[in-house]
Amino acid sequence: MRIRRTRAGHQGASAPAAATAGAPAAAAAARPRRAVRRLRGWGGVSAMAAACAVTAAAVLLPLARTSPGTAHRNAVQEPATMAAAPFAPADTCQDPEASLAPSGMDGPTIERIRKAGKLVAGVDQNSFKWGYRNPDGHLDGFDIDLVKAIAKDILGREDAVIYRAIPTSQRIPALQEGRVDVVVRTMTINCKRLEDVAFSTAYFEAGQQVLAPKGSHITGYDASLQGRRICTAAGSTAEAALKAKSYGAAAVSVPNQLDCLVRLQLGEVDGIITDNALAAGQAAQDPSVQLVGAPFTREFYGVAMNKDASDLVRRVNKVLENYRAGGEQSPWAVSYRKHFENVLPGQAQPPAPKYRNG
């Protein structure tokens, strides 16, 4: 089964970006012919993307450059390093997953959100099982369930949300420019990002892994990547990992993770590096691909917020305390079974929260 297109205004899927440097001219000429043959099996990426754009535009607001409130947001920069196990050299801070202690007290950010009547959330809408459009056109996924829980706690209604689809590379700028209140989008907590944004406690554990076609000679994040075209999403920890140690691979960077799967299906790249939690959903969409090798990092997802929004950070951590509570009947466990039981077995419970003083 080929991927179900769910992204409105999807960037880069129908028009591939720059060709990989150093590819032989003959191979470069052959790739478009292979792409055309594969496209015929789909009915065409462009037509598919256009149809999805019509469906999604009526439901999801675009990522406008208007603020969800009037509060000033400090400038931030996009991160360039990753959190890994063992930790990468750039992760010099202690316990990056440690966040502020939970609290139900209101503060200026909470008051602004209440006054607006909506929580503005930056999400994905093309990551199967995390943030995607289900057959009836509504956003669904593990991250979407968590957004609803945050909105219900602050505003009393889980539907009091304005969802804004943002590419991987725009997660931090969206918070910087005040376009969103929270980013709930499989975002890894690491030391570099903590210089620019604040994070909640961790709500999911993942690791970087290689996704490749079945029958590929790629065996994992190792020497088998030599000379292969490997795709990562811009601004992701996977991109940073490949830059740090490429094993001779030719790196291909795209705006969104879904673009990598499309390029893999078109024969324009040979493999993908991404979080295994994301890749498991992609493999469920397209059974012709599989995870290979072992995860080579240990990473934790957190809810990202503006660095000055300490009241919101504490409130989200309170929501997460309740979200984890209840064992197998906790909201976290219910959401996990709903989305991942058949595609990502093995993580039966959330990571334990860590807190710091301050």
Side-chain angles (χ1 to χ4, degrees):
M1 181 177 77
R2 290 296 177 187
I3 190 167
R4 292 174 297 190
R5 302 284 301 180
T6 57
R7 174 76 187 228
H10 180 64
Q11 303 178 48
S14 59
T20 304
R31 285 198 294 274
R33 291 194 293 271
R34 289 199 301 269
V36 169
R37 286 196 294 270
R38 295 197 184 194
L39 273 171
R40 288 171 183 157
W42 291 31
V45 172
S46 298
M48 200 175 303
C52 290
V54 172
T55 302
V59 184
L60 191 74
L61 289 183
L63 183 59
R65 293 185 176 272
T66 55
S67 171
T70 57
H72 176 70
R73 307 295 179 118
N74 287 340
V76 296
Q77 296 179 351
E78 182 66 9
T81 56
M82 64 178 179
F87 290 118
D91 270 341
T92 55
C93 63
Q94 293 183 348
D95 289 329
E97 295 84 31
S99 184
L100 296 174
S103 172
M105 298 292 291
D106 291 349
T109 310
I110 299 295
E111 291 174 359
R112 177 180 57 74
I113 292 170
R114 282 221 177 101
K115 184 177 180 181
K118 296 283 185 179
L119 175 74
V120 185
V123 299
D124 200 351
Q125 65 163 354
N126 59 26
S127 289
F128 191 49
K129 299 296 184 180
W130 287 97
Y132 69 104
R133 291 198 174 276
N134 59 28
D136 65 9
H138 291 92
L139 280 170
D140 199 0
F142 191 84
D143 280 345
I144 304 303
D145 288 351
L146 179 53
V147 171
K148 291 177 179 178
I150 296 169
K152 186 173 182 179
D153 183 86
I154 296 174
L155 297 166
R157 293 171 33 225
E158 67 175 25
D159 62 347
V161 182
I162 296 173
Y163 294 101
R164 287 190 171 150
I166 53 175
T168 305
S169 61
Q170 287 296 305
R171 291 176 298 188
I172 284 180
L175 288 166
Q176 166 197 351
E177 297 166 10
R179 291 179 264 156
V180 296
D181 298 312
V182 296
V183 170
V184 188
R185 196 190 181 284
T186 59
M187 189 168 180
T188 300
I189 305 167
N190 64 30
C191 295
K192 181 61 177 177
R193 288 174 177 169
L194 282 169
E195 296 175 4
D196 302 324
V197 297
F199 279 101
S200 70
T201 54
Y203 67 86
F204 204 92
E205 181 178 344
Q208 295 296 316
Q209 201 166 348
V210 178
L211 187 73
K214 292 178 179 177
S216 168
H217 293 296
I218 296 175
T219 57
Y221 185 63
D222 53 34
S224 66
L225 299 182
Q226 174 72 37
R228 306 290 182 179
R229 298 159 299 171
I230 303 300
C231 189
T232 62
S236 68
T237 52
E239 182 185 50
L242 195 60
K243 285 180 179 178
K245 190 168 186 178
S246 70
Y247 285 105
V252 178
S253 180
V254 296
N256 283 292
Q257 187 55 46
L258 181 63
D259 298 332
C260 283
L261 184 57
V262 172
R263 285 171 180 261
L264 187 64
Q265 292 176 330
L266 294 177
E268 294 172 356
V269 298
D270 303 302
I272 300 168
I273 297 178
T274 186
D275 301 357
N276 57 356
L278 286 170
Q282 293 178 344
Q285 287 178 286
D286 185 351
S288 70
V289 300
Q290 64 181 355
L291 285 164
V292 294
F296 59 91
T297 69
R298 189 182 182 201
E299 304 180 4
F300 296 89
Y301 297 159
V303 178
M305 290 155 279
N306 188 272
K307 203 170 176 66
D308 295 331
S310 60
D311 60 323
L312 182 58
V313 174
R314 293 182 187 276
R315 188 59 168 264
V316 170
N317 284 340
K318 173 181 172 291
V319 173
L320 285 171
E321 286 280 302
N322 297 330
Y323 205 67
R324 299 183 191 99
E328 292 185 358
Q329 300 308 313
S330 69
W332 189 98
V334 170
S335 183
Y336 182 89
R337 287 195 296 272
K338 173 185 174 184
H339 299 292
F340 297 128
E341 192 167 44
N342 297 323
V343 299
L344 191 64
Q347 182 166 330
Q349 58 186 11
K354 295 181 180 180
Y355 299 108
R356 58 179 170 81
N357 296 327

